[in-house]
Amino acid sequence: MQENTTRSADQLLKDIKSNIEKVIVGKGEVIDLVLTALLCSGHVLIEDVPGLGKTTLVSALAKSLGCSFKRVQFTPDVLPSDVTGYTMFDMKTGEKQVQFGAVMSQMVLADEINRTSPKTQSSLLEVMQEGTVTIDSVSYEVPKPFMVLATQNPVDLTGTYPLPEAQLDRFLMRIKMGYPEKGDEIAILKKNKGSVPVKELNKVASAQDILDLQEKCKAVTCSDSVMDYIVSIADATRKNEYVQLGVSPRGSLALMNASMALAMLRGRDYVIPDDVQFLAQSVLAHRLVMNTQATFKGQTAYTVIRNIIMNLRVPGTK
């Protein structure tokens, strides 16, 4: 692998994306969203029906970065201790030993997170927010970089438990894979004929590369006018007739951080309104609680955000 000292941040990001695209076909925007979350140390919830490549995308990202990776297949019988860890008594030494759970990895795939109980879902709250895990009153830091990528099936499928608002708010983004175009699906069939492409991926970056990129991301400029635009979007959700609970300041901060990361991914050291508009639905929609009127009128969180973007004045325009 070519060392990071000879690659710019822009080239490094291109290499990571190209490597993932060897496995994930026709989903460039989805990959951009995941990399954006990675750059600003965010977590991602990928929601869609089974079989669209959610798990494959996460596996391809982990292999591309060469980071430690654990997968938790959530089912109704998974316990919080399976996720966070537990202490056990060693009969030989007479001492307690800590057995860490899946969260003690750099990349954690919480597969089908809404098929487990709310109690187990909530075991991820602390580690996603604080970067630490508490086992029997003792806190341990998780390795860095740290990222939770959760997948879930649509909530109307049998055997699912909707994620509570507090859990949803810990995710920087909620994104959808969507069905592939016909040509892309043919390409998928050809790539997977007689092989599993994700197993053949080599790493093109290191954990330290990602930590360096995350530090550089913090230096991206977000002007006062763009900040005002972000806050105006959040404020509009709080006043919308179809919204019971609008975007909190945490949501505004998430949109700013994500916009800074996207600007870097696009080769700029400053944020423009286009970055905010591209990310608004993915970053904000899952933070809205809709009212009953929205159901009757056929309004969703995504349509509310889209309409707000369409009607707000963009900075730099008349």
Side-chain angles (χ1 to χ4, degrees):
M1 183 184 75
Q2 193 176 10
E3 294 295 328
N4 188 33
T5 53
T6 63
R7 286 187 292 175
S8 64
D10 186 54
Q11 186 58 52
L12 183 59
L13 289 167
K14 287 180 179 177
D15 289 345
I16 296 171
K17 182 176 180 180
S18 296
N19 205 51
I20 296 173
E21 286 179 331
K22 292 177 182 178
V23 176
I24 303 298
V25 180
K27 297 297 177 183
E29 285 192 358
V30 173
I31 297 172
D32 283 347
L33 290 172
V34 172
L35 291 179
T36 295
L38 177 66
L39 288 175
C40 59
S41 305
H43 308 292
V44 177
L45 178 63
I46 307 174
E47 181 184 67
D48 228 319
V49 296
L52 296 183
K54 301 186 297 291
T55 305
T56 302
L57 171 61
V58 179
S59 300
L61 175 65
K63 293 207 70 172
S64 297
L65 304 182
C67 291
S68 58
F69 172 64
K70 287 287 180 66
R71 171 181 174 176
V72 183
Q73 184 64 51
F74 280 96
T75 55
D77 60 345
V78 172
L79 301 174
S81 58
D82 296 327
V83 179
T84 59
Y86 56 91
T87 55
M88 60 180 295
F89 187 75
D90 191 321
M91 299 293 289
K92 293 182 179 180
T93 63
E95 298 178 352
K96 289 184 177 180
Q97 291 186 343
V98 177
Q99 300 293 320
F100 292 111
V103 295
M104 199 55 72
S105 300
Q106 291 165 316
M107 293 279 163
V108 178
L109 170 57
D111 213 2
E112 296 188 298
I113 189 173
N114 60 336
R115 287 201 181 278
T116 195
S117 68
K119 183 177 181 180
T120 302
Q121 291 173 3
S122 65
S123 65
L124 284 169
L125 283 174
E126 178 194 357
V127 70
M128 290 174 68
Q129 182 68 20
E130 307 295 340
T132 60
V133 59
T134 301
I135 304 173
D136 287 346
S137 302
V138 180
S139 293
Y140 304 90
E141 284 196 7
V142 295
K144 293 184 172 68
F146 176 74
M147 187 179 193
V148 174
L149 297 110
T151 69
Q152 75 169 4
N153 299 311
V155 294
D156 56 346
L157 288 187
T158 303
T160 58
Y161 300 83
L163 294 178
E165 285 76 16
Q167 181 79 29
L168 282 172
D169 202 40
R170 294 302 192 277
F171 288 100
L172 178 74
M173 301 180 191
R174 180 173 67 180
I175 63 179
K176 297 180 182 291
M177 294 288 289
Y179 288 104
E181 299 291 335
K182 184 177 180 180
D184 293 333
E185 190 164 359
I186 291 172
I188 291 170
L189 297 182
K190 290 180 177 179
K191 282 180 177 290
N192 288 271
K193 184 181 179 182
S195 66
V196 183
V198 71
K199 292 184 177 181
E200 300 170 4
L201 284 184
N202 296 315
K203 76 172 186 176
V204 294
S206 67
Q208 188 58 51
D209 289 334
I210 302 307
L211 292 174
D212 292 343
L213 289 173
Q214 289 175 345
E215 282 301 309
K216 290 179 180 178
C217 184
K218 296 175 183 177
V220 173
T221 299
C222 187
S223 66
D224 289 348
S225 62
V226 173
M227 288 186 189
D228 182 77
Y229 185 49
I230 290 171
V231 172
S232 295
I233 294 171
D235 185 60
T237 67
R238 300 163 194 160
K239 299 173 181 176
N240 191 277
E241 62 179 318
Y242 301 117
V243 178
Q244 181 177 336
L245 290 176
V247 173
S248 68
R250 179 187 288 168
S252 301
L253 181 60
L255 184 54
M256 181 187 72
N257 289 336
S259 298
M260 292 164 63
L262 182 63
M264 182 177 174
L265 185 65
R266 291 176 168 176
R268 283 181 275 102
D269 61 358
Y270 57 90
V271 178
I272 61 175
D274 284 355
D275 300 324
V276 178
Q277 293 173 351
F278 178 78
L279 292 166
Q281 288 182 312
S282 297
V283 175
L284 301 182
H286 65 287
R287 303 173 194 272
L288 301 183
V289 177
M290 308 300 287
N291 58 29
T292 54
Q293 186 180 356
T295 304
F296 295 136
K297 296 287 187 177
Q299 294 290 314
T300 67
Y302 289 97
T303 58
V304 166
I305 298 295
R306 184 187 64 205
N307 291 335
I308 288 173
I309 293 294
M310 290 175 61
N311 291 304
L312 271 182
R313 187 184 70 83
V314 179
T317 62
K318 295 182 179 180

